[in-house]
């Protein structure tokens, strides 16, 4: 587990879950198991924890405890697999979104701008779509959309055109190939930030991260018992916006729907007013905590 990241805002997450010793809980982003192990400490004999992770590497961190089950699936299939494992309704769900430090540090996975490797970025290594496929086969208009929306890159149109032109001569198969092809577009002094945005956009597309998050949030409302807690930690504005809107409105855009009597039709009430952020002390000790936003909701 030490190869994964130190869990961000661990105590805040556990407190937010409001754990009952005999309750049923779900950790949909198991990773190194840091959050799951802490949840297990609060469960009694009658308690139960179901965890999800689509990355095969996470299996090595499975907890040897009869109250624990690890499901090797994307959390967008939350409802089906909770049912399959006889774990509905549940009392609390925890999601710690994004890529783990472990995944970034595995050079061959192609997540990081620090290493040269094949452009991969698949969280589920059995998936067909890789970053190499996106960069080399997507139409210019689709690349423009991905970089503009998912990477929030200012010169997304020029970036897409540059990639499409470069791949005519030779395929862009590695991190170095891509970096070299777009070198002329990178703002001086902001190299790391720009490349991080490019890689974020590709990673989100490869793993369908925002679609998966939407599916998960909608299903969480179906799976949770009334009074159950939804605890979600995100690391960039695109994810946080979806979480914030869904908790506030029961939908991802537009205004909240009201019934005939003017009552809000939404499954959750926010527990925390706004997002909870990490302390200065934690940020000093764990850089990953810098951009983390924690939101807590209770099922009506």
């Amino acid at each position: 587990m030490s190869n994964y990241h130190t869990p961000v805002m661990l105590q805040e997450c556990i407190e937010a879950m409001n754990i009952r010793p005999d309750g049923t809980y779900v950790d949909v982003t198991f990773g190194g198991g840091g959050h799951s192990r802490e949840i297990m400490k609060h469960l009694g004999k009658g308690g139960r924890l179901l965890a999800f992770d689509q990355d095969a590497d996470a299996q090595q961190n499975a907890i040897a405890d009869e109250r624990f089950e690890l499901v090797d699936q994307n959390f967008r299939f939350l409802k089906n697999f909770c049912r399959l494992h006889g774990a509905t309704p549940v009392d609390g769900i925890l999601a710690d979104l994004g890529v783990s430090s472990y995944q970034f540090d595995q050079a061959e996975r192609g997540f990081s701008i620090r290493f040269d490797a094949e452009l991969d970025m698949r969280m589920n290594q059995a998936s067909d779509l890789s970053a190499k496929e996106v960069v080399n086969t997507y139409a210019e208009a689709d690349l423009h959309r991905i970089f503009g929306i998912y990477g929030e890159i200012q010169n997304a149109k020029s970036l897409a055109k540059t990639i499409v032109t470069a791949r005519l001569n030779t395929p862009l198969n590695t991190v170095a190939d891509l970096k070299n092809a777009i070198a002329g577009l990178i703002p001086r002094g902001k190299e790391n930030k720009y490349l991080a945005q490019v890689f974020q956009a590709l990673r989100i597309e490869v793993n369908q991260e925002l679609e998966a998050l939407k599916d998960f949030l909608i299903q969480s409302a179906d799976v949770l018992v009334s009074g159950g807690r939804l605890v979600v930690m995100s690391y960039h504005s695109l994810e946080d916006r979806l979480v914030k809107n869904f908790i506030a409105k029961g939908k991802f855009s537009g205004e909240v729907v009201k019934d005939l009597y003017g009552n809000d039709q939404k499954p959750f009430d926010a527990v925390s007013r706004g997002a909870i952020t990490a302390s200065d002390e934690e940020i000093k000790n764990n850089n990953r905590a810098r951009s983390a936003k924690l939101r807590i909701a209770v099922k009506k």
Side-chain angles (χ1 to χ4, degrees):
M1 192 191 99
S2 58
N3 290 334
Y4 277 73
H5 60 260
T6 304
V8 173
M9 288 193 270
L10 180 59
Q11 290 313 314
E12 289 91 335
C13 287
I14 299 303
E15 285 172 22
M17 292 281 280
N18 202 25
I19 299 169
R20 292 190 298 108
D22 61 344
T24 299
Y25 296 89
V26 186
D27 176 358
V28 297
T29 47
F30 179 69
H35 286 108
S36 281
R37 283 182 171 79
E38 198 62 33
I39 292 170
M40 292 295 290
K41 291 177 188 175
H42 292 73
L43 294 179
K45 282 187 177 178
R48 188 173 177 201
L49 177 62
L50 199 65
F52 284 69
D53 205 300
Q54 62 182 331
D55 190 335
D57 284 353
Q59 298 294 322
Q60 67 194 1
N61 302 313
I63 301 166
D65 190 306
E66 60 185 17
R67 300 167 299 165
F68 174 83
E69 289 175 84
L70 181 55
V71 180
D72 59 343
Q73 290 288 339
N74 189 307
F75 63 30
R76 74 189 307 172
F77 306 117
L78 172 73
K79 191 173 175 180
N80 282 347
F81 282 91
C82 281
R83 277 180 177 166
L84 186 66
H85 288 265
T88 54
V90 305
D91 298 289
I93 301 172
L94 172 67
D96 179 8
L97 306 174
V99 183
S100 71
S101 303
Y102 171 82
Q103 288 168 319
F104 274 125
D105 290 342
Q106 300 296 300
E108 69 278 6
R109 300 290 294 271
F111 283 111
S112 176
I113 62 175
R114 291 178 290 142
F115 311 109
D116 187 26
E118 281 234 333
L119 284 167
D120 190 333
M121 302 193 200
R122 292 171 300 165
M123 289 184 187
N124 176 0
Q125 294 185 281
S127 170
D128 293 330
L129 185 64
S130 68
K132 181 167 70 173
E133 187 91 2
V134 173
V135 165
N136 287 293
T137 67
Y138 272 33
E140 186 176 327
D142 290 326
L143 289 173
H144 177 198
R145 173 183 57 82
I146 290 164
F147 291 129
I149 296 173
Y150 297 162
E152 299 179 295
I153 293 167
Q154 296 295 319
N155 60 355
K157 190 169 187 179
S158 305
L159 176 61
K161 187 175 183 64
T162 299
I163 287 172
V164 170
T165 303
R167 74 190 190 195
L168 291 172
N169 299 319
T170 179
L172 306 178
N173 292 331
T174 67
V175 172
D177 291 342
L178 178 59
K179 283 161 85 168
N180 290 336
I182 65 174
L185 293 174
I186 302 173
R188 189 162 295 170
K190 295 184 179 176
E191 291 84 359
N192 285 347
K193 184 183 178 188
Y194 186 87
L195 288 169
Q197 289 174 290
V198 171
F199 274 52
Q200 173 181 294
L202 290 171
R203 195 195 78 222
I204 288 173
E205 174 65 19
V206 167
N207 297 291
Q208 298 292 294
E209 289 177 35
L210 300 185
E211 288 83 355
L213 177 57
K214 287 179 182 177
D215 289 348
F216 157 69
L217 289 169
I218 291 165
Q219 291 171 43
S220 70
D222 297 331
V223 168
L224 277 164
V225 69
S226 178
R229 294 291 185 97
L230 174 67
V231 180
V232 184
M233 189 150 50
S234 56
Y235 296 88
H236 60 74
S237 59
L238 298 174
E239 290 174 337
D240 182 57
R241 200 174 303 134
L242 291 178
V243 176
K244 178 184 176 182
N245 285 345
F246 189 72
I247 290 173
K249 305 172 184 176
K251 54 199 287 197
F252 302 108
S253 59
E255 292 308 308
V256 64
V257 176
K258 294 183 184 292
D259 65 15
L260 291 171
Y261 304 101
N263 300 309
D264 288 351
Q265 294 289 91
K266 61 192 186 93
F268 290 103
D269 283 325
V271 172
S272 54
R273 195 172 174 185
I276 296 167
T277 55
S279 67
D280 291 342
E281 183 68 20
E282 180 172 3
I283 292 169
K284 195 168 75 178
N285 295 323
N286 183 3
N287 188 51
R288 183 178 160 80
R290 182 173 39 87
S291 56
K293 287 189 174 178
L294 179 66
R295 294 190 185 271
I296 310 161
V298 62
K299 169 80 182 292
K300 288 186 176 181

